[in-house]
């Protein structure tokens, strides 16, 4: 008991004090609590009269009032409740326990509602996200295809096509012939496919909304056969027919709108985290659409009588090339892992009915010779 | 009483001005840009007071991290402080306890007083008045300013104030953010449409200062008269 301090700093409320309140030294005596102000006014509350309460701005302040509530002592020091309990020889243990229980009850309620709130927010977020995706998908399907074409013709202006080969070039003709083979089997009819072949060593090809397809000669040179090239072109055509461009735009606009709706006009930190969340959602979305385009491309190849394995073979070839050609990074960064893609295409092919595949009768050697010069 | 400041507050309540007379060697600390004029015998120094954490606390409490210190280094002199906006200036004498101040309410304090941020957590978040209040502790004088005039309320049991009207309160008062009692059970609709959102419910014993105007309704009123420029 001797190691417990008997004097604490606190204060007292009483009408005799000027202003009604003063700082005071509070000491615990065998018979009760005593407060002495700096002006040496002395107030005493016997243990028997003392009504304890907890509160204050910090929530940790202990108050002690006498019977007629004319004197109120208060103290916020951490050791005070413990000292009070031990020095009053248990006179307060019941009251102190009641205060502690009240406090715990408050804390429990707080944590309960905090947990409920967080869980509800999370559920609402997940539901909202999936509802948003479903809504954009449905909304995009309802939009006329001319919107895709408009977006595509705006987007093509931002692409540099200096070294574009003219329409009469054998390479352009070759790609056009491949598109003609695949076109009857595309998911939506009436899409106006336009081909641009660009003379650059980049191993890449891309499709814009509305059916404009850009193929770099680097890709044609690295393909081992016309069928492999057809595999890549089928993939790019699938992007256009599945309207991935419009879905991506719709989704990112939707996500921005939804996040703004939820967060309101909040700056700084929130804006940053919003942007990060948005980017990660969009990258995974584009990966998902790559997989979709792979499978849709494989279906088109199959329907056209071309072995979908050629698409897988092309990816295998890319895998081997990796590291040798830095330009490949452009393709790799937005596309899923090659091994996964190959496995998925092969799996998909197993589900398709067996059918004899043909080889394309195209001037492959001539194109390769032309491009080599 | 030690280090009590010799001060006067004029032009109350709307254009209040605080004049502090310093004895040689005496110091007073003020928020930046509060000084209106001073005697040539005083020197001013700007510094992060109380270390990095306390400065950060002040920053989150809507104050500057920097505190200006005025010292009567070349003899006695006076310094005049003005609040940033219309309104009253209030004096409070700290005697070892603490005073909780609304965001941005701090203006001037004497030696022996420390201003820090006080984390509000969920309480602050729901009140819409920011996550951090200011806390003045120690022994000495504190001056804080209000928007509009100030009413001093002696709370003896319970008192309810709209969160936007709170200026300061003593540490012996417990406070809780809640909806107006009449609104509870009335559904969320009434909470949003009554215009009387969240209130601060004080309990216990202590003094509370409330201001006669709340700055947000004033801002939305004046916003309608703001000339707009079109961006193209």
């Amino acid at each position: 008991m001797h190691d417990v301090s008997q004097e604490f700093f606190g204060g007292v409320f009483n009408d005799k004090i000027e202003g009604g309140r003063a700082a005071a030294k509070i000491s615990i005596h065998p018979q009760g609590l005593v407060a002495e102000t700096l002006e040496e006014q002395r107030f005493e509350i016997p243990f028997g009269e003392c009504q304890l309460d907890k509160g204050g701005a910090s929530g940790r302040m202990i108050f002690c009032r006498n019977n007629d509530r004319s004197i109120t002592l208060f103290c916020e020091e951490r050791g005070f409740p413990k000292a009070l309990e031990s020095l009053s020889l248990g006179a307060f243990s019941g009251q102190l326990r009641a205060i502690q229980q009240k406090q715990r009850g408050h804390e429990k309620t707080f944590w309960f509602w905090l947990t409920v709130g967080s869980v509800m927010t999370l559920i609402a977020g997940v539901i909202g996200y999936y509802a948003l995706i479903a809504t954009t998908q449905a909304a995009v399907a309802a939009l006329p295809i001319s919107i895709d074409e408009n977006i595509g013709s705006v987007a093509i202006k931002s692409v540099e096509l200096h070294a574009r080969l003219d329409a009469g070039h054998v390479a352009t003709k070759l790609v056009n012939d491949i598109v003609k083979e695949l076109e009857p089997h595309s998911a939506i009819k009436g899409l106006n496919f336009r081909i641009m072949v660009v003379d650059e060593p980049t191993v890449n090809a891309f499709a814009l909304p509305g059916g404009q397809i850009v193929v770099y000669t680097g890709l044609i040179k690295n393909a081992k056969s016309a069928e492999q090239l057809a595999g890549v072109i089928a993939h790019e055509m699938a992007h256009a027919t599945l309207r991935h461009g419009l879905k991506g735009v719709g989704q990112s606009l939707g996500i921005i709108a939804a996040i703004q709706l939820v967060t309101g006009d909040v700056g700084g930190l929130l804006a940053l985290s919003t942007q990060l969340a948005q980017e990660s959602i969009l990258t995974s979305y584009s990966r998902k659409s790559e997989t979709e385009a792979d499978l849709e491309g494989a279906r088109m190849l199959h329907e056209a009588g071309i072995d979908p394995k050629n698409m897988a073979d092309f990816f295998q070839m890319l895998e081997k090339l990796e590291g040798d050609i830095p330009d490949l990074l452009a393709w790799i960064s937005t596309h899923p892992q090659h091994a996964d893609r190959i496995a998925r295409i092969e799996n998909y092919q197993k589900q398709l009915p067996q059918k004899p595949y043909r080889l394309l009768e195209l001037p492959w050697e001539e194109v390769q010779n032309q491009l080599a010069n | 009483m030690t280090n009590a400041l010799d001060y006067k507050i004029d032009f109350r309540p709307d254009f209040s001005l605080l004049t502090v007379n310093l004895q040689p060697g005496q110091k007073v600390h003020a928020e930046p840009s509060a000084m209106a004029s001073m005697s040539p015998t005083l020197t001013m120094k700007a510094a992060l007071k109380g270390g990095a954490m306390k400065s950060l606390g002040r920053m989150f409490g809507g104050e500057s991290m920097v505190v200006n210190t005025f010292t009567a280094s070349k003899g006695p002199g006076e310094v005049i402080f003005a609040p940033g906006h219309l309104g009253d200036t209030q004096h409070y004498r700290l005697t070892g306890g603490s005073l909780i101040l609304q965001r941005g309410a701090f203006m001037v304090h004497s030696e022996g007083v420390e201003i820090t941020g006080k984390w509000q957590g969920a309480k602050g978040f729901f009140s819409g008045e920011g996550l951090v209040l200011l806390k003045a502790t120690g022994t000495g004088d504190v001056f804080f300013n209000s928007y509009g005039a100030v009413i001093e309320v002696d709370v003896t049991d319970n008192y309810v104030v709209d969160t936007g009207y709170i200026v300061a309160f003593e540490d012996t008062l417990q406070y809780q953010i809640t909806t107006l009692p009449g609104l509870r059970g009335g559904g969320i609709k009434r909470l949003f449409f009554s215009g009387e959102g969240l209130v601060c419910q004080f309990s216990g014993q202590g003094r509370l200062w409330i201001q006669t105007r709340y700055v947000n309704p004033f801002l939305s009123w004046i916003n309608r008269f703001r000339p707009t420029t079109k961006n193209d």
Side-chain angles (χ1 to χ4, degrees):
Chain A
M1 216 186 278
H2 297 287
D3 58 334
V4 187
S5 166
Q6 297 186 41
E7 281 189 5
F8 297 91
F9 181 78
V12 59
F13 285 109
N14 186 270
D15 291 340
K16 284 180 201 147
I17 302 168
E18 199 194 326
R21 168 188 165 149
K25 186 183 79 189
I26 294 178
S27 42
I28 304 171
H29 291 269
Q31 64 282 8
L33 290 170
V34 174
E36 275 169 290
T37 68
L38 296 173
E39 266 92 36
E40 293 179 348
Q41 282 174 292
R42 194 183 144 98
F43 300 92
E44 200 176 322
I45 303 179
F47 285 135
E49 269 192 44
C50 194
Q51 288 297 316
L52 292 183
D53 198 4
K54 205 174 182 184
S58 63
R60 282 195 307 270
M61 195 178 266
I62 301 288
F63 294 85
C64 174
R65 295 188 180 89
N66 63 350
N67 278 346
D68 59 2
R69 296 172 72 94
S70 58
I71 306 166
T72 303
L73 309 184
F74 57 89
C75 177
E76 207 173 9
E77 281 192 52
R78 281 187 183 274
F80 187 63
K82 204 164 199 175
L84 201 58
E85 187 170 14
S86 56
L87 291 172
S88 65
L89 299 169
F92 288 124
S93 48
Q95 281 195 51
L96 282 166
R97 210 176 302 126
I99 287 171
Q100 264 172 2
Q101 269 166 1
K102 198 170 108 188
Q103 172 93 352
R104 270 191 217 120
H106 282 310
E107 276 167 20
K108 266 187 199 159
T109 328
F110 172 77
W111 286 111
F112 173 75
W113 285 110
L114 188 72
T115 315
V116 169
S118 324
V119 170
M120 299 275 273
T121 314
L122 194 69
I123 292 173
V126 170
I127 292 175
Y129 174 65
Y130 282 102
L132 186 71
I133 288 180
T135 318
T136 22
Q137 304 265 345
V140 165
L143 291 173
I145 199 84
S146 61
I147 291 182
D148 293 56
E149 279 168 16
N150 286 338
I151 294 176
S153 52
V154 172
I156 194 79
K157 284 178 191 145
S158 64
V159 183
E160 287 195 21
L161 302 166
H162 303 307
R164 187 179 160 185
L165 298 177
D166 57 46
H169 195 277
V170 279
T172 316
K173 275 187 182 165
L174 176 87
V175 178
N176 257 316
D177 288 341
I178 292 172
V179 170
K180 277 197 195 100
E181 294 279 346
L182 294 165
E183 200 176 349
H185 311 289
S186 58
I188 47 171
K189 306 290 166 208
L191 209 57
N192 179 21
F193 289 106
R194 279 147 297 159
I195 314 303
M196 273 151 273
V197 180
V198 180
D199 191 13
E200 260 179 48
T202 315
V203 183
N204 202 1
F206 59 89
L208 292 170
Q212 300 191 75
I213 292 170
V214 177
V215 181
Y216 291 98
T217 51
L219 187 127
I220 302 176
K221 279 190 211 170
N222 278 288
K224 294 284 170 285
S225 67
E227 291 75 23
Q228 278 194 6
L229 181 60
V232 177
I233 289 168
H235 169 94
E236 296 305 336
M237 285 169 78
H239 273 312
T241 60
L242 296 175
R243 305 177 80 177
H244 282 150
L246 205 55
K247 279 176 193 164
V249 172
Q251 204 147 321
S252 50
L253 285 179
I255 288 164
I256 293 166
I259 291 174
Q260 274 178 352
L261 194 72
V262 174
T263 58
D265 191 53
V266 193
L269 208 68
L270 262 174
L272 185 71
S273 56
T274 306
Q275 199 179 344
L276 286 175
Q278 216 170 299
E279 269 168 22
S280 69
I281 289 165
L282 290 180
T283 350
S284 79
Y285 177 79
S286 92
R287 284 193 169 216
K288 191 177 149 238
S289 62
E290 290 303 330
T291 308
E292 270 177 32
D294 279 352
L295 299 186
E296 171 64 8
R299 188 195 63 78
M300 284 162 73
L301 290 168
H302 174 82
E303 301 276 325
I306 304 164
D307 192 349
K309 197 177 178 302
N310 283 300
M311 195 199 272
D313 288 346
F314 182 79
F315 294 142
Q316 211 133 37
M317 186 274 298
L318 277 185
E319 198 166 33
K320 279 182 200 147
L321 270 182
E322 253 165 48
D324 301 347
I325 304 168
D327 284 340
L328 267 175
L329 286 172
W331 171 278
I332 295 156
S333 59
T334 55
H335 288 64
Q337 289 293 305
H338 294 310
D340 295 351
R341 307 180 76 178
I342 294 163
R344 242 181 251 126
I345 295 165
E346 281 170 353
N347 260 332
Y348 179 71
Q349 202 178 353
K350 276 179 205 153
Q351 295 161 28
L352 296 171
Q354 292 253 324
K355 121 179 212 184
Y357 292 118
R358 64 192 169 112
L359 291 178
L360 294 168
E361 285 168 34
L362 293 167
W364 180 251
E365 295 296 324
E366 191 196 332
V367 171
Q368 290 296 337
N369 287 337
Q370 279 275 338
L371 291 179
N373 293 331
Chain B
M1 294 274 181
T2 51
N3 65 25
L5 284 178
D6 173 18
Y7 72 94
K8 70 177 168 115
I9 302 169
D10 299 311
F11 313 115
R12 299 175 78 164
D14 30 18
F15 293 100
S16 64
L17 200 64
L18 168 68
T19 309
V20 178
N21 283 301
L22 295 178
Q23 296 310 309
Q26 211 177 5
K27 285 178 182 174
V28 68
H29 309 273
E31 63 173 342
S33 83
M35 195 273 288
S37 64
M38 66 182 209
S39 307
T41 46
L42 307 190
T43 49
M44 195 206 87
K45 217 174 92 183
L48 293 176
K49 209 168 160 281
M53 287 317 288
K54 282 175 181 160
S55 300
L56 273 174
R58 277 198 304 274
M59 189 187 80
F60 287 120
E63 295 288 346
S64 170
M65 287 175 71
V66 176
V67 172
N68 290 345
T69 303
F70 297 85
T71 313
S73 50
K74 292 177 234 139
E78 67 166 24
V79 52
I80 297 177
F81 299 105
H85 47 73
L86 294 189
D88 207 352
T89 300
Q90 197 72 34
H91 167 254
Y92 183 77
R93 176 79 193 170
L94 275 168
T95 50
S98 57
L99 182 73
I100 318 295
L101 296 164
Q102 179 63 288
R103 280 175 68 78
F106 158 70
M107 197 167 118
V108 173
H109 71 77
S110 69
E111 287 280 319
V113 177
E114 202 159 60
I115 307 280
T116 53
K118 186 176 185 295
W119 173 250
Q120 297 304 296
K123 241 187 227 179
F125 180 79
F126 290 113
S127 73
E129 302 296 326
L131 291 170
V132 178
L133 291 177
L134 292 166
K135 188 178 173 186
T137 49
T139 304
D141 298 294
V142 187
F143 297 90
F144 53 92
N145 54 261
S146 61
Y147 180 63
V150 159
I151 303 172
E152 194 177 300
V153 182
D154 256 310
V155 179
T156 47
D157 201 3
N158 274 304
Y159 204 72
V160 173
V161 186
D162 186 293
T163 50
Y165 291 88
I166 301 163
V167 182
F169 55 92
E170 285 180 332
D171 58 347
T172 48
L173 282 175
Q174 188 162 32
Y175 65 108
Q176 227 176 350
I177 304 295
T178 167
T179 52
L180 269 180
L183 289 171
R184 230 171 289 148
I188 206 155
K189 241 192 316 190
R190 266 202 268 169
L191 174 65
F192 282 108
F193 295 118
S194 68
E196 302 291 340
L198 295 162
V199 292
C200 200
Q201 184 158 27
F202 289 95
S203 54
Q205 195 173 0
R207 259 183 300 172
L208 160 72
W209 289 264
I210 56 179
Q211 57 194 14
T212 58
R213 285 292 179 279
Y214 174 25
V215 76
N216 286 6
F218 171 70
L219 288 178
S220 50
W221 175 78
I222 206 164
N223 192 40
R224 287 182 287 153
F225 305 105
R226 199 168 55 94
T228 51
T229 49
K230 283 197 177 76
N231 297 318
D232 45 25

